[in-house]
Amino acid sequence: MKAFIPVAAPTLKGNELKYVVECLSSNWISSQGKFVTDFEESFANFIGIKHAVSVANGTVALSLALKTLGIGPGDEVIVPDFTFAATINAVFHVGATPVIVDIQRDSWCIDPLCVEKVISKKTKAIIPVHIFGQVVEMSSIMDLAKQHHLYIVEDCAEALGATWEGNSVGAFSDIACFSFFSNKIITTGEGGMCVTKSDQLNDRLRVLRDHGMSKERKYWHDEVGFNYRMTNLQAAIGLAQMEQLDFFLKEREGIDEFYDHGFKNVPEFRSQLKLSRRRSTLWLKTYLLDSRYSVSLMIHKAKDKNIDIRAFFYPLSDMSIFKAYAPYFTAITHEISASGFCVPTSLSFSRDDYQRVIQVLKEVMESMRMDYFWNHDLSLPQGLPPNV
Ligand SMILES: *Cc1c(COP(=O)(O)O)cnc(C)c1O
């Protein structure tokens, strides 16, 4: 049996090892040290924004952002139904109330029309999520935010490198959040970043990240804060990853094209759309499967061939802990969630690996086609019209 190909894997072939050894040999392994500031600076430069504040992971980046904006009990925050649960968990972590809305059919991202429908006197913020590297229809979200005096906290965890009208995602909100978990575009093992153009918000993010300790007076606390700091060890890896980011993004574009070319004669697979005004980034390569076929059966069959295919996120509103927070049924989220799948995407895989994934999935698809026609022929009782 050929080697297992996981759905994602990090690539650590730059200066990661060298910089981590530097941390170890200099004894700076906690959250002070030059890599933390260098990583933050390099990240802010890439986004084209004034401030970047590193944190322990992407989830606390989101809750720190909400807390920094003063969002808490009694406030409502609008989130899409189609996202990783960290987005909505962060709202609960600050004691606010999430309001779950549906997504657009073309972008799979939060639908501004659905957002507008649920804005109330209690609404304080919107969290648009650039899902699977696809960019949210930002101008409508920004218009709504302006009109109703709402904050935008952008969840860019899956979309580092994507742009809206030529500007990097993360540059459009009060505070934007990134994740550096091992399957993201760049990784620090665990890690996250908040970015903002505001000096004031930058100060407050840093104070709350560090126990709420006064900037002027050490060990004096003006408010209840957190310890959400990133370590110098993580930042060392992050800086090395930043040095390779342009290369990563270019390679990911190549993977995107390679897959689409490989599957071009598979009419049952529909690739994520390229939409106007934005340039998406490739996180995990995704497809929608023709609704006659079952994604879970496909995953099962691919697993037999040692290929890791992943289903999409379930609708948050299907889970009992979140159900009560969705005022309307989210038809599009349900449809996309049930029919989408991710194929292995990483710079660590070779072209031969990708060729194997394509070959296996083509064979799996062919066998599902045969099953479909076979079953449908057999299931028709002789002499009866097909609809009986
Ligand atoms: C990964 C991810 C997060 C949170 O990241 P962690 O670093 O794992 O806490 C948040 N939102 C989305 C959409 C993500 O994909």
Side-chain angles (χ1 to χ4, degrees):
M1 175 84 87
K2 288 200 170 143
F4 178 67
I5 302 181
V7 79
T11 312
L12 305 162
K13 293 183 183 138
N15 285 323
E16 289 85 354
L17 182 64
K18 181 174 158 224
Y19 292 169
V20 168
V21 169
E22 243 179 272
C23 290
L24 294 173
S25 46
S26 70
N27 243 0
W28 288 97
I29 59 168
S30 212
S31 57
Q32 286 172 22
K34 78 177 182 90
F35 288 115
V36 175
T37 37
D38 286 357
F39 179 39
E40 288 178 344
E41 216 175 281
S42 147
F43 198 85
N45 281 340
F46 179 85
I47 303 297
I49 204 160
K50 196 163 173 197
H51 306 286
V53 179
S54 61
V55 290
N57 59 61
T59 310
V60 301
L62 287 163
S63 55
L64 182 66
L66 294 169
K67 192 84 190 171
T68 296
L69 294 167
I71 293 165
D75 298 334
E76 289 178 359
V77 178
I78 302 171
V79 300
D81 199 21
F82 188 53
T83 182
F84 179 54
T87 313
I88 191 168
N89 284 343
V91 178
F92 287 109
H93 293 159
V94 299
T97 306
V99 179
I100 299 171
V101 299
D102 209 357
I103 54 171
Q104 294 175 310
R105 191 182 294 278
D106 59 354
S107 69
W108 312 344
C109 293
I110 196 163
D111 186 340
L113 295 173
C114 299
V115 171
E116 190 164 19
K117 212 156 105 179
V118 300
I119 291 174
S120 77
K121 282 200 178 66
K122 292 182 181 167
T123 310
K124 285 281 151 56
I126 309 168
I127 310 186
V129 182
H130 305 294
I131 200 80
F132 290 116
Q134 180 65 280
V135 182
V136 173
E137 166 74 53
M138 279 314 287
S139 57
S140 317
I141 296 293
M142 289 188 287
D143 287 348
L144 282 174
K146 200 174 221 170
Q147 210 178 318
H148 298 272
H149 308 286
L150 307 176
Y151 292 118
I152 301 176
V153 174
E154 235 175 311
D155 184 340
C156 306
E158 301 176 3
L160 178 58
T163 60
W164 170 262
E165 294 188 331
N167 292 310
S168 175
V169 296
F172 298 94
S173 36
D174 297 283
I175 303 174
C177 303
F178 293 82
S179 163
F180 310 128
F181 182 66
S182 61
N183 68 11
K184 301 292 161 82
I185 312 273
I186 65 164
T187 186
T188 60
E190 296 279 358
M193 193 77 84
C194 292
V195 304
T196 182
K197 49 184 171 293
S198 153
D199 295 344
Q200 216 177 342
L201 291 175
N202 174 55
D203 281 349
R204 199 166 149 71
L205 283 165
R206 288 174 188 280
V207 167
L208 285 173
R209 174 181 69 171
D210 193 16
H211 303 286
M213 202 186 307
S214 162
K215 237 176 92 183
E216 288 78 31
R217 196 168 163 198
K218 232 175 171 241
Y219 299 108
W220 188 261
H221 302 261
D222 294 315
E223 64 183 312
V224 178
F226 310 92
N227 175 0
Y228 283 167
R229 296 176 313 238
M230 174 181 275
T231 65
N232 203 39
L233 284 162
Q234 290 165 290
I237 299 173
L239 182 66
Q241 292 267 296
M242 284 309 290
E243 292 167 354
Q244 303 162 82
L245 180 53
D246 288 335
F247 168 72
F248 285 177
L249 293 171
K250 211 164 171 51
E251 285 291 297
R252 281 177 172 271
E253 253 174 57
I255 297 167
D256 198 5
E257 283 163 19
F258 195 80
Y259 267 128
D260 282 344
H261 182 77
F263 291 132
K264 74 175 188 297
N265 294 324
V266 183
E268 293 88 350
F269 292 3
R270 206 197 80 197
S271 186
Q272 206 178 12
L273 300 175
K274 301 271 182 249
L275 299 170
S276 62
R277 303 170 77 185
R278 62 203 106 179
R279 200 191 66 214
S280 56
T281 197
L282 182 75
W283 178 45
L284 294 177
K285 178 67 181 164
T286 56
Y287 290 93
L288 296 184
L289 180 64
D290 184 308
S291 61
R292 273 176 293 193
Y293 303 98
S294 146
V295 170
S296 51
L297 179 63
M298 195 175 71
I299 290 173
H300 187 78
K301 284 175 179 266
K303 198 171 196 167
D304 283 344
K305 299 272 159 89
N306 253 353
I307 306 279
D308 191 17
I309 303 298
R310 183 159 308 168
F312 275 9
F313 301 119
Y314 295 108
L316 295 175
S317 61
D318 272 4
M319 301 174 213
S320 59
I321 47 173
F322 302 135
K323 214 180 220 99
Y325 301 94
Y328 300 102
F329 179 67
T330 55
I332 298 173
T333 299
H334 279 77
E335 185 188 313
I336 302 293
S337 161
S339 62
F341 63 93
C342 311
V343 292
T345 313
S346 165
L347 270 61
S348 316
F349 306 150
S350 66
R351 285 293 138 116
D352 283 352
D353 293 332
Y354 287 117
Q355 198 50 58
R356 200 179 119 214
V357 175
I358 291 166
Q359 193 52 40
V360 164
L361 282 187
K362 279 174 144 178
E363 284 164 20
V364 165
M365 195 57 235
E366 179 58 20
S367 90
M368 293 201 304
R369 259 179 225 137
M370 297 309 282
D371 288 350
Y372 183 84
F373 289 116
W374 185 246
N375 287 334
H376 283 252
D377 283 341
L378 281 185
S379 64
L380 287 180
Q382 282 276 303
L384 289 175
N387 288 335
V388 171

